[in-house]
Amino acid sequence: MKSRFAPSPTGYLHIGGARTALFAWAYAKKQQGNFVLRIENTDRERSTQASVDAILDGMNWLGLDYDEGPFYQTQRFERYQAVIRQLLNEDKAYYCECSKKRLEDLREVLMAKGEKAMYDGCCRDKNLTSGVVRFKNPQEGVVIFEDKVKGKISIANKELDDLIIARTDGTPTYNLTVVVDDHDMEISHVIRGDDHINNTPRQINLYEALNWALPKFAHLPMILGSDGARLSKRHGAVSVMAYRDAGFLPEALLNYLVRLGWSHGDQEVFCLDEIVSLFDLKDINKAPASFNEEKLLWLNQEYIKKSTPEHLIKNLQWHLNEQSFNTSNGPDLPLVVNALQARSKTLVEMVEGMKMYYQDFDKFDKKLADKQFKDTAPLAALLEELMQLDIWEAEAIKSCIKQVCDDLGIGFGKVGQPFRLALSGNGNAGNIDAVAELIGKSITLKRLEKAIQYVG
Ligand SMILES: [Zn+2]
């Protein structure tokens, strides 16, 4: 068994492409087959090396490893040309010299009559020797195939015109290359987006003309944005790497993607091993799936909560490098990550939360500071208590806060809140005693002094 992912390198790796790759990958793993990556770069004007790199980066970040490839169509032109020659020699294809003008006129006439715009087979029996090459699509009969997702699909051959398989310059077209590649690479399961479903009957006719065994087809339902239209740039981030940049864990994105069009009962959280062991084409939904950014965010938070600090640090590294964030001066990184993971929805939020542990800040949030630092007595009393503390531990720090509350006859929040602002600068911090323990005694005292001297 073999499946493949065959993107065209004309942009980044799109969320929809990643979902297709994941399904094809998961099915291959489940069946203990091979997964092939093939770059369909025959469109030389639109394909770029930067896009190839973006696709490989996306696959790599998601951990979708391929057993074969990446293969590049541009390296297979001789093979395509041999197949085109074979079809011409066997009278299964022919040259067509129709001008653009003639084809446009034909199209207009048909459209005016309310008919489907199709090539009329004008050059089919002319035995021409130049021009584009068209495949002689059968004129009778019906193409029938059993799609693994959509069920039985049939289309009459008279609905299909003679497809161009080579341009005038001899370069092969998409439908020919995909058939030759899938055959040569022994792909048994063609799993792809349903935007390709209209090409499938034509491709089946090509397989048959070449006497090649048909693969199984599974066309995945499209992904819709929140407004019900096909997911696109208009809906915000659709590139896989934009999700890395926004602080998502690859396993959270994969978990989210697998649920876009596939389900296993009501289960929402799947580790990668579970995806592989449970995945089956028969559980793919026929209906389109809707992209829900909030659910993805929720899943990301779930994954951050249950990850080990070491795993999070591995994924944080890219973000830290981007910001030239130095974590060598300060508390042990795993302890800080552990303190933050229960309250971070994304790794970007986590890096924000890390700043107070490793970086000094110039000023306090003005609105909060004007309110919370107005009365300096609680902070001054706390500073006194903490200075005398020998064992710098959360429990002891908490006792100091309680002591100040008792001495001044005020509630915990009256001390805890300004203390939190003093340490963080913006009030965003978790358990203040644990935070203070991690930050350490000398920095805690320094920031308290700075807060006491604050003039609004
Ligand atoms: Zn023609």
Side-chain angles (χ1 to χ4, degrees), residues 94 96-98 102 119 122-123 134:
Y94 60 94
C96 162
E97 287 181 354
C98 288
R102 180 181 182 270
Y119 177 63
C122 161
C123 302
R134 288 186 184 269

